[in-house]
Amino acid sequence: MDKQALKTKACREIDAMAPELANISLFLHQNPELGGQEVQAARLLTTAAERLGFQVRRNISGYPTAFIASKGSQGPHVAFLAEYDALPGLGHACGHNLIAAMSFGAAAAFAGVAGDQAVSCLIGCPAEETSGAKVAMAADGVFDGLAAALIVHPADRNQLGGTAYATHPLQVTFTGRAAHVAGKTDKGVNALDALVMFYQGLQQLRHTFTQQTILAGIFTRTGVAPNIVPAVAEGKFTIRALSADYLEHTVLPAVNRLADGIALATGTTVTTVHYEPLFKELINDVKLMNLFKANMESLGEPVALLEPDEADGSTDVGNVSHAAPTIHPDLSIGPGLTAHTPEFALAAGSVFAQQRLLVGAKAMAMTAIDLL
């Protein structure tokens, strides 16, 4: 059977799976689970994969809700990455319910047509919104040796390319000495003053970098009462750059020097802790991009190409892309949508989105077939 015949067969299999894929997506949408707690989602996906003859390994890289489901014995290993964690208070406002269903459908269809010519892998990746299981999984070699790692993200338009920011979130804590604000002999040491100075210093620091960066944050601990000099003040900051190397060796050392200087100037002490792991920048594989674009267009779907340095958010898929050829295209589920909003969550559960996920599944399966 030639390549085009295989693609046609895969698309027909995905169309036949449409009710099951919609059920997977809508179950996840109606039963949102936070990162690391996706027990129902992982059970649903692994059970469905086992019914199709996939061999499933669970509890990957320390994540009980991570899994690797594979089918096939030889040939190129192609992975379809499933995400299924939701956002607190918003549910599936990033559309991970659709991602899980798309990747499941693509993995099943590819396995169905490839037979012994390839190994189809559905890799369940928890906690993308928080600790990012793919970081630990990449460090453990889960993605090593893959011919491709594919994932499609719902969005407001079809687009491909670009990158994602490297990010290494930082918690900064200044410690001073409490005192009553009206004290005559002891004025204390104001930790909040130090944190405010640090926040203001970040606004100036960003102008010193030669690469595009993001320095932003919130105050999470500011004191106990307005008439007591704050002894401890704490903030959480998102520190991002277009490459992990620039972030780790240029941006973060400068941020830490700023914190140390302010501590010295204010008589406080400071500690900095990375409260989430390093998400590396996303490297979209050019060959896979070209294949995916051609397959989308064959499905009647135009795709906009982004400039290589155009970044939008951060993702632990970046860490995967440093271990294996990877693409992370966007698929439109409606115009004017912004992720992490109630409107996006509503769209991710719509009838239209359940139809659109079939397109994403087909394009991934077709791209995998191109690698045979």
Side-chain angles (χ1 to χ4, degrees), residues 152-170:
V152 172
H153 201 293
D156 64 337
R157 69 194 70 183
N158 295 341
Q159 58 188 21
L160 182 62
T163 184
Y165 286 103
T167 179
H168 209 170
L170 195 68

Side-chain angles (χ1 to χ4, degrees), residues 304-359:
L305 287 178
L306 302 177
E307 293 297 323
D309 62 350
E310 187 171 343
D312 181 13
S314 301
T315 174
D316 59 356
V317 178
N319 296 60
V320 180
S321 73
H322 285 252
T326 302
I327 52 169
H328 192 291
D330 288 338
L331 175 76
S332 171
I333 61 167
L337 293 171
T338 301
H340 292 214
T341 62
E343 294 77 16
F344 199 99
L346 187 65
S350 68
V351 172
F352 180 66
Q354 312 320 306
Q355 297 168 345
R356 295 294 295 162
L357 73 82
L358 301 177
V359 176

Side-chain angles (χ1 to χ4, degrees), residues 47-103:
T47 300
E50 285 175 327
R51 276 200 306 269
L52 295 177
F54 282 74
Q55 299 297 310
V56 177
R57 289 191 289 132
R58 297 172 173 84
N59 195 16
I60 307 298
S61 298
Y63 285 86
T65 54
F67 64 86
I68 302 172
S70 57
K71 188 174 182 180
S73 58
Q74 59 187 355
H77 287 59
V78 180
F80 305 89
L81 309 182
E83 296 173 353
Y84 31 84
D85 60 317
L87 290 158
L90 289 171
H92 279 288
C94 206
H96 290 186
N97 59 306
L98 299 168
I99 292 176
M102 281 190 280
S103 289

Side-chain angles (χ1 to χ4, degrees), residues 27-220:
F27 179 86
L28 268 56
H29 192 268
Q30 293 159 11
N31 299 275
E33 297 168 298
L34 300 182
Q37 303 172 29
E38 314 96 322
V39 175
Q40 294 183 88
R43 184 187 303 122
L44 177 68
L45 291 164
T46 54
T47 300
E50 285 175 327
R51 276 200 306 269
L52 295 177
F54 282 74
Q55 299 297 310
V56 177
R57 289 191 289 132
R58 297 172 173 84
N59 195 16
I60 307 298
S61 298
Y63 285 86
T65 54
F67 64 86
I68 302 172
S70 57
K71 188 174 182 180
S73 58
Q74 59 187 355
H77 287 59
V78 180
F80 305 89
L81 309 182
E83 296 173 353
Y84 31 84
D85 60 317
L87 290 158
L90 289 171
H92 279 288
C94 206
H96 290 186
N97 59 306
L98 299 168
I99 292 176
M102 281 190 280
S103 289
F104 175 82
F110 181 57
V113 302
D116 289 333
Q117 297 181 70
V119 178
S120 178
C121 302
L122 176 68
I123 302 183
C125 308
E128 190 273 340
E129 298 290 355
T130 52
S131 59
K134 299 183 201 70
V135 175
M137 295 166 81
D140 288 344
V142 168
F143 309 106
D144 292 354
L146 291 176
L150 310 175
I151 181 172
V152 172
H153 201 293
D156 64 337
R157 69 194 70 183
N158 295 341
Q159 58 188 21
L160 182 62
T163 184
Y165 286 103
T167 179
H168 209 170
L170 195 68
Q171 178 176 287
V172 180
T173 306
F174 288 94
T175 302
R177 188 178 70 254
H180 195 282
V181 294
K184 299 295 186 184
T185 57
D186 186 359
K187 300 297 184 182
V189 178
N190 195 316
L192 181 57
D193 282 350
L195 184 60
V196 170
M197 290 173 63
F198 175 76
Y199 183 86
Q200 293 171 330
L202 284 182
Q203 316 313 312
Q204 302 304 316
L205 185 63
R206 68 159 56 94
H207 299 300
T208 68
F209 299 124
T210 58
Q211 239 190 55
Q212 186 177 341
T213 59
I214 294 176
L215 308 176
I218 59 170
F219 291 3
T220 54

